[in-house]
Amino acid sequence: LKETGTDIASKVPCYQLKHPNSTIQMPAIGFGLYKVDDTEKVTVAALQAGYRHFDGASFYENEDTFGATLKKHKISRNEVFITSKVWNDMQGYDKTIESFNKSLKDLDTEYIDLYLVHWPVP
């Protein structure tokens, strides 16, 4: 699994996100996980095709399967860039923190690379 996708992934352009102590590489092309029926099968196919940026959200209800797929197929956390989002009914400081922590737990990871407001509402 790794060899096929890694060769292709190395050709995908990346944006450099600069932090005071590091630079993070964000692949310019990502794979969305919305309405994915068989998350494991689709994730493996995307990895084989070279995708390393995955766009999910707690609302999609598949973050747990996506995270488990990465572990099952021995994909190191630093090999993928994970985006997640807070949904409308979880906006506001306390609910956003709750939603973020749920995504961390479901993904079974220590960090999320990019966390967005899915759909801003007043």
Side-chain angles (χ1 to χ4, degrees):
L1 174 67
K2 289 184 184 182
E3 293 178 19
T4 306
T6 301
D7 295 340
I8 298 167
S10 67
K11 297 175 185 173
V12 173
C14 290
Y15 294 104
Q16 291 188 359
L17 306 176
K18 297 188 182 211
H19 290 252
N21 298 323
S22 66
T23 300
I24 296 169
Q25 301 291 321
M26 181 177 91
I29 300 170
F31 190 89
L33 297 169
Y34 183 57
K35 292 193 176 185
V36 172
D37 289 327
D38 186 339
T39 304
E40 181 176 357
K41 181 179 178 182
V42 170
T43 298
V44 169
L47 288 163
Q48 288 174 333
Y51 286 95
R52 292 299 181 269
H53 181 176
F54 290 88
D55 177 50
S58 58
F59 178 76
Y60 303 167
E61 298 181 346
N62 59 7
E63 288 184 322
D64 54 347
T65 307
F66 172 73
T69 299
L70 296 179
K71 295 225 186 289
K72 178 179 177 180
H73 293 276
K74 297 181 173 60
I75 304 299
S76 297
R77 177 60 187 87
N78 65 355
E79 289 182 52
V80 292
F81 188 96
I82 298 175
T83 298
S84 188
K85 301 173 217 68
V86 60
W87 189 245
N88 300 349
D89 64 351
M90 294 302 286
Q91 290 185 29
Y93 183 81
D94 291 333
K95 286 185 175 182
T96 298
I97 297 296
E98 180 184 337
S99 179
F100 177 82
N101 287 329
K102 181 181 183 320
S103 288
L104 280 177
K105 182 178 181 241
D106 288 348
L107 290 163
D108 192 17
T109 187
E110 294 181 12
Y111 65 98
I112 294 171
D113 296 288
L114 180 62
Y115 197 68
L116 303 170
V117 174
H118 197 278
W119 187 344
V121 294

